Amino acid sequence: MPFAFLRALVEHTSDSGQRRRLQELCSKQGAADYNLYVRDPSLSVSELLAAFPSCSPPLSLLIELLPRLQPRPYSAA
């Protein structure tokens, strides 16, 4: 989950403590915490939103920021 995703979530978080924590995670100073709490455990979007319950981004933002599905090659064997 890229930093840009977390930065976008900051704008849609109503609780000031949770907003500040999201800002810390996507800052240079919070890179170690980001790796420890988000990247290493491979948090999904739903797990991240559950960890920050006051964050309620619009569905259009989630769709826009999620990585695109890559086409899979199929063989006609």
Side-chain angles (χ1 to χ4, degrees):
M1 187 170 316
F3 288 122
F5 186 77
L6 291 179
R7 272 188 247 120
L9 292 182
V10 169
E11 301 301 319
H12 300 284
T13 304
S14 58
D15 181 71
S16 61
Q18 292 178 12
R19 183 182 308 125
R20 186 175 60 250
R21 182 64 178 147
L22 281 171
Q23 288 171 333
E24 289 171 2
L25 288 174
C26 59
S27 69
K28 286 183 182 180
Q29 295 80 10
D33 282 349
Y34 172 80
N35 287 333
L36 182 64
Y37 296 115
V38 179
R39 189 173 182 198
D40 291 343
S42 299
L43 286 184
S44 67
V45 174
S46 61
E47 291 170 327
L48 188 65
L49 291 175
F52 296 96
S54 74
C55 181
S56 55
L59 183 59
S60 60
L61 178 70
L62 293 176
I63 292 171
E64 178 182 324
L65 292 174
L66 289 176
R68 293 185 175 195
L69 293 175
Q70 298 298 317
R72 294 189 205 173
Y74 291 98
S75 65

